[in-house]
Amino acid sequence: DEATAAAMVDAVRAVVPADSHRLKVILETGELLDPSVIRAAAELAVAHGADFIKTSTGKTPRSASLEATTIMLSVIQQADRPVGLKPSGGIRTLDDATHFLAQADDLMGPDWATSATFRFGASGLLTALNAAVEGDTDVRTTEAY
């Protein structure tokens, strides 16, 4: 229901000051199995003022995927203003994170992924990063919890 989705994003954008706050729209891409629906949802969110588009809440069986973020990044490339990406859900290892960052570098350029344009939404990844900082060498490819 594109009209309802657009009205919801518009209503939130109307009360979230664009000059001082970022509007993040969660697409729940793991539930949108058709790539064309992911593209349509991303385009709608961006067209109606999203500053960030996020793959997932992380509360569904399927969350962030490289397929979904490829689509979302292509929509961001076509935007007439800066829009960020937040892959979220299922990103638990340093290797997982590396794949998403490499994809952003490949598609958007090596300087695109900054704190203003790219953020992970993955508490499991934080656990892995903390473990790596503490010297745990097994966190690169295995879940740290």
Side-chain angles (χ1 to χ4, degrees), residues 69-116:
T69 53
T70 296
I71 295 165
M72 295 165 73
L73 286 168
S74 73
V75 170
I76 289 169
Q77 280 179 318
Q78 297 168 2
D80 60 357
R81 61 187 174 75
V83 176
L85 175 69
K86 188 171 184 177
S88 180
I91 304 167
R92 293 185 176 89
T93 69
L94 300 181
D95 277 350
D96 292 341
T98 298
H99 293 301
F100 285 97
L101 281 169
Q103 178 191 57
D105 285 348
D106 289 346
L107 297 176
M108 305 299 285
D111 297 326
W112 182 81
T114 68
S115 61

Side-chain angles (χ1 to χ4, degrees), residues 3-138:
T4 300
M8 290 174 66
V9 176
D10 288 342
V12 175
R13 178 81 282 174
V15 297
V16 174
D19 59 340
S20 60
H21 293 77
R22 295 184 192 265
L23 174 59
K24 173 182 63 182
V25 175
I26 303 169
L27 304 181
E28 208 65 80
T29 59
E31 299 296 305
L32 306 175
L33 302 179
D34 182 342
S36 68
V37 176
I38 295 171
R39 176 172 298 284
E43 289 172 344
L44 184 147
V46 170
H48 289 269
D51 298 306
F52 263 82
I53 50 178
K54 181 177 175 182
T55 57
S56 172
T57 60
K59 307 291 185 201
T60 58
R62 284 193 55 190
S63 297
S65 72
L66 290 169
E67 178 185 23
T69 53
T70 296
I71 295 165
M72 295 165 73
L73 286 168
S74 73
V75 170
I76 289 169
Q77 280 179 318
Q78 297 168 2
D80 60 357
R81 61 187 174 75
V83 176
L85 175 69
K86 188 171 184 177
S88 180
I91 304 167
R92 293 185 176 89
T93 69
L94 300 181
D95 277 350
D96 292 341
T98 298
H99 293 301
F100 285 97
L101 281 169
Q103 178 191 57
D105 285 348
D106 289 346
L107 297 176
M108 305 299 285
D111 297 326
W112 182 81
T114 68
S115 61
T117 58
F118 189 94
R119 300 177 184 173
F120 284 109
S123 57
L125 179 58
L126 177 59
T127 302
L129 289 171
N130 286 335
V133 167
E134 293 171 7
D136 184 344
T137 58
D138 291 330

